[in-house]
Amino acid sequence: MPNETLTITDNRTGKTYTVPVYKDSIRALDLRQIKVAADDFGLLSYDPAFMNTAACQSAVTFLDGDRGILRYRGYPIEQLAERCTFLEVAYLLLNGELPDADQLEEWTSEITHHTMIHENLKKLMEGFHYDAHPMGILMSTVAALSTFYPEARNIHDPEIRKRQIARLIGKMPTLAAYAYRHSLGLPYVYPDNDLGYTKNFMNMLWKRTEPKFRANPVLARALEVLFILHADHEQNCSTSTMRAVGSSYADPYATTAAAIAALSGPLHGGANEEVLRMLDEIGSKARVPAYIEQIKAGHGKLMGFGHRVYKNYDPRARIIKQVANEVFEVTGRNPKLDIALELERIALEDDFFIRRKLYPNVDFYSGIIYQAMGFTPDVFTVLFGIPRTVGWLAQWQEMLQDSEQKIARPRQLYTGSAERSLRAEELEFEAAVSTAA
Ligand code: ACO
């Protein structure tokens, strides 16, 4: 028995059990030995919404919500955002180390050569209404990729897995840009292999008739930083979905489509779109106090505020505020920033928000920047999904290689009726139906 143990006394029976403590946790399965009778199922842990349950061990991302710390593979997010490119960070998340010059060249070329999508996928996209939500289009087209690459089902072959990972990271900006242009009725622009990851994405979004699209370097770098900040965030709702769906050995396209579905909700990635709608609804700085009172009275939530894990300032929100200033020097100041700053100022001084440890999260400022750059709010969550694909895939790969993992299958506490029987007239009716059949 290791030194670190926990002793539990079952007051129903008076029996005492000692279970090992590993990394400040106990294994839920160790509770199963705690029984009232020999034929009992054993004690379960009950944890709706996984408030206090670790479902895996992971070496990808470290997050300390109380101290506002976020690290990818040990590197502080602040350093990565300042010094690295998105593709370097993607390599780091997937492989555990930053690439050297040769590895980076090979990795960049691999991603760049997987940016094209099959023409049939374009036809599928054309079937969507002009006002289809870009997240719906992204989710469907990523799922459809599964039909183009049947080899992807062979998830246990490392080479095949690697190829699908490169395909997904390479194609995601193309699918996102096509979804965006579809909503505007603009022709799709093919990827340009001379350009880097974010500049190529901007090219596919905004190229009109010019022979070569030249992205503003400040905006391209801002997008790169935003992508780095959104690349992974350990076991959040969409990543847990990725792991749960992937645990059934579904192929990575179907699995990523499921993660996109989870991300689309307004309590998760969809929050950045909702923040903009909220700022529109508030309309002016003067109306902020009244809006806050409305939230405190229980009418809705302050979108872009609060986090399941961060109970301190989200470090990504701090970096995003700096990026906002750089972007506004190019685009001009988004007037919504003043409303957002006022909202933050008042909320952070208010006892309601202080007591609940509600701080701005990554989504509070990202939408304001995206809007200044020229994106419409319905595309904000898509901009979250592109980089998060890297984190999903890193976690999916880790899950597949973890010998402790099995198909995800939570237990339940049954609260329905005890066994009962059909009434006599129901039994007669069932008999008549089966005779007629
Ligand atoms: N505005 C007002 N009150 C809030 C907010 C908010 N944004 N967030 C939480 N609260 C309140 C809750 O009503 C609750 O109050 P109570 O104790 O009086 O009942 C208390 O704070 C605790 O909140 P929970 O809902 O228990 O916190 P949980 O960890 O379940 O939820 C979540 C976290 C979903 C992020 C929540 O804070 C929220 O809905 N925020 C707004 C949506 C948002 O910005 N989501 C993006 C998250 S970041 C991301 O996914 C990228």
Side-chain angles (χ1 to χ4, degrees), residues 86-101:
F86 173 67
L87 283 187
E88 282 174 305
V89 171
Y91 187 98
L92 170 72
L93 284 167
L94 285 156
N95 301 295
E97 296 297 335
L98 283 162
D100 61 26

Side-chain angles (χ1 to χ4, degrees), residues 191-206:
D192 181 341
N193 284 2
D194 292 343
L195 302 174
Y197 196 76
T198 45
K199 284 190 179 165
N200 174 48
F201 179 45
M202 293 165 92
N203 162 66
M204 292 187 289
L205 289 166
W206 291 316

Side-chain angles (χ1 to χ4, degrees), residues 4 23 35 38-39 55 58 96 140 167 204 222 297 304 353 372 403 413 435:
E4 297 212 344
K23 287 185 181 274
K35 297 179 178 191
D39 59 352
S58 178
S140 319
R167 280 190 177 128
M204 292 187 289
F353 295 90
S403 60
L413 304 184
T435 311

Side-chain angles (χ1 to χ4, degrees), residues 48-159:
F50 307 111
M51 299 287 286
N52 197 40
T53 294
C56 63
Q57 300 196 43
S58 178
V60 181
T61 289
F62 174 79
L63 208 173
D64 182 332
D66 290 328
R67 292 193 290 153
I69 295 174
L70 172 63
R71 296 183 199 132
Y72 295 161
R73 301 282 188 184
Y75 293 108
I77 191 68
E78 293 80 3
Q79 287 181 20
L80 295 171
E82 196 181 326
R83 311 232 179 106
C84 295
T85 64
F86 173 67
L87 283 187
E88 282 174 305
V89 171
Y91 187 98
L92 170 72
L93 284 167
L94 285 156
N95 301 295
E97 296 297 335
L98 283 162
D100 61 26
D102 291 343
Q103 288 165 330
L104 183 61
E105 196 184 324
E106 196 189 322
W107 170 238
T108 306
S109 150
E110 214 178 325
I111 298 298
T112 309
H113 288 94
H114 280 299
T115 48
M116 296 283 284
I117 59 170
H118 196 288
E119 288 294 299
N120 283 352
L121 203 63
K122 270 172 59 184
K123 288 188 202 141
L124 185 105
M125 234 176 229
E126 279 155 15
F128 288 103
H129 276 296
Y130 73 95
D131 59 352
H133 197 287
M135 268 308 257
I137 301 183
L138 188 71
M139 197 189 314
S140 319
T141 48
V142 168
L145 283 178
S146 153
T147 66
F148 290 82
Y149 305 108
E151 65 165 7
R153 273 181 235 151
N154 197 350
I155 52 159
H156 296 297
D157 181 322
E159 274 310 306

Side-chain angles (χ1 to χ4, degrees), residues 10 21 28 40 65 99 102 119 123 134 274 280 295 318 349 358 375 436:
D10 185 346
V21 171
D40 250 10
D102 291 343
E119 288 294 299
K123 288 188 202 141
E274 296 302 321
D280 277 340
I295 300 285
R318 193 172 281 126
E349 285 173 357
L358 299 171
F375 292 104

Side-chain angles (χ1 to χ4, degrees), residues 196-256:
Y197 196 76
T198 45
K199 284 190 179 165
N200 174 48
F201 179 45
M202 293 165 92
N203 162 66
M204 292 187 289
L205 289 166
W206 291 316
K207 184 173 187 297
R208 295 290 168 113
T209 52
E210 65 276 40
K212 191 90 179 167
F213 179 81
R214 303 218 179 275
N216 180 298
V218 175
L219 300 188
R221 180 62 202 161
L223 197 57
E224 190 105 12
V225 172
L226 285 160
F227 278 7
I228 292 170
L229 299 183
H230 284 92
D232 193 50
H233 212 233
E234 53 118 300
Q235 310 311 317
N236 54 82
C237 179
S238 56
T239 304
S240 301
T241 303
M242 185 83 186
R243 280 179 173 267
V245 176
S247 76
S248 77
Y249 295 166
D251 75 55
Y253 302 104
T255 308
T256 303

Side-chain angles (χ1 to χ4, degrees), residues 49 51 230 233 236-238 263 265-272 274-275 295-296 299-311 314 316 352-353 355-364 384 388:
M51 299 287 286
H230 284 92
H233 212 233
N236 54 82
C237 179
S238 56
L263 186 72
L267 295 189
H268 190 13
N272 54 13
E274 296 302 321
V275 170
I295 300 285
K296 284 164 61 180
H299 304 298
K301 279 184 169 176
L302 200 52
M303 298 312 286
F305 256 71
H307 199 276
R308 169 62 58 80
V309 182
Y310 288 123
K311 301 300 172 196
D314 181 338
R316 301 167 302 172
F352 175 95
F353 295 90
R355 262 193 293 118
R356 291 171 176 78
K357 298 188 175 171
L358 299 171
Y359 292 88
N361 59 50
V362 68
D363 282 333
F364 191 64
F384 191 156
R388 184 54 61 86

